[in-house]
């Protein structure tokens, strides 16, 4: 079994597909008040300066939400350092978090959690077009998740890209919900 972000970042895409298909739905509550370090698999994300990132999770008015944090880029083995600092990270790219049922109308990735950036007040460059679907890599282990990121443009969803998130640290400060 693959047990870390670093290991998953190196496996072939065909193995990621098998792990995702066998994965199980995370409980949204298991993510709350934590930040996860993340890694986008496509090479283009390295060129774009967002291969490494953080995602954090919280509750607001009974609903589950998340956000992104830019981190200093570098080799996979280098630490994740938030921008502008670990103690005062800049949160952006907020998204709602909800389970995807087995027979959703959209028919996309049943048995996953949906991170829907369209539900928050994001600008285009903050990812308003993104829809992420994540699953646990190993049932009962909420510390390592595998995701597919879809871009929804003009009503069409483009081919997904892979990302990995692994529990990293408690969220450092209370989150101010956008809007």
């Amino acid at each position: 079994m693959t047990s870390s972000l670093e290991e998953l970042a190196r496996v072939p895409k065909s193995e990621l597909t098998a792990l995702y298909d066998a994965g199980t739905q995370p409980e949204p509550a298991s993510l709350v008040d934590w930040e996860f370090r993340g890694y986008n698999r496509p090479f283009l994300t390295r060129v774009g300066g967002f291969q490494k990132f953080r995602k954090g999770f919280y509750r607001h008015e009974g609903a589950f939400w998340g956000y992104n944090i830019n981190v200093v880029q570098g080799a996979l083995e280098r630490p994740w350092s938030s921008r502008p600092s670990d103690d005062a990270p800049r949160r952006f790219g907020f998204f709602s978090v909800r389970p995807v049922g087995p027979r959703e109308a959209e028919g996309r990735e049943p048995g996953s959690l949906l991170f829907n950036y369209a539900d928050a007040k994001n600008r285009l460059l903050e990812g308003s077009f993104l829809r992420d679907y994540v699953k646990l890599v190993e049932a009962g282990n909420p510390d390592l998740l595998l995701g597919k990121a879809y871009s929804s443009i003009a009503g069409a969803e483009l081919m997904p890209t892979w990302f990995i998130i692994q529990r990293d640290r408690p969220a450092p400060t209370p989150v101010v919900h956008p809007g």
Side-chain angles (χ1 to χ4, degrees):
M1 176 54 64
T2 307
S3 61
S4 74
L5 180 147
E6 289 79 7
E7 289 174 311
L8 277 179
R10 292 182 171 95
V11 301
K13 288 181 184 176
S14 60
E15 189 174 330
L16 292 178
T17 300
L19 286 168
Y20 187 87
D21 290 346
T24 59
Q25 189 173 68
E27 288 293 329
S30 71
L31 309 177
V32 170
D33 295 331
W34 286 93
E35 288 183 352
F36 288 65
R37 59 192 183 103
Y39 188 81
N40 285 309
R41 282 291 303 260
F43 174 76
L44 232 82
T45 61
R46 179 183 303 167
V47 174
F50 55 96
Q51 188 163 45
K52 292 170 73 172
F53 59 90
R54 276 199 170 106
K55 286 188 185 302
F57 300 90
Y58 65 102
R59 274 189 116 136
H60 178 72
E61 296 180 354
F64 297 102
W65 291 88
Y67 56 86
N68 288 280
I69 295 173
N70 281 329
V71 301
V72 175
Q73 299 299 299
L76 181 61
E77 298 77 21
R78 304 244 346 159
W80 267 245
S81 298
S82 299
R83 291 186 178 199
S85 73
D86 282 333
D87 293 333
R90 178 181 147 325
R91 294 178 177 101
F92 73 99
F94 287 78
F95 51 87
S96 65
V97 177
R98 71 170 176 81
V100 177
R103 293 192 168 86
E104 290 276 333
E106 66 227 27
R108 178 77 61 209
E109 308 299 344
S112 65
L113 278 186
L114 169 61
F115 301 168
N116 190 342
Y117 290 74
D119 288 343
K121 297 180 182 198
N122 294 309
R123 295 181 304 239
L124 182 64
L125 292 178
E126 292 178 323
S128 61
F129 56 90
L130 291 174
R131 310 294 178 273
D132 295 343
Y133 297 86
V134 299
K135 289 185 176 182
L136 299 176
V137 174
E138 183 179 272
N141 177 5
D143 295 338
L144 185 64
L145 294 91
L146 181 58
K148 291 182 181 182
Y150 288 85
S151 298
S152 181
I153 300 173
E157 287 190 336
L158 304 179
M159 187 69 168
T161 58
W162 292 105
F163 68 93
I164 304 125
I165 60 174
Q166 184 170 23
R167 190 178 310 268
D168 187 35
R169 66 185 197 166
T173 59
V175 176
V176 176
H177 188 71

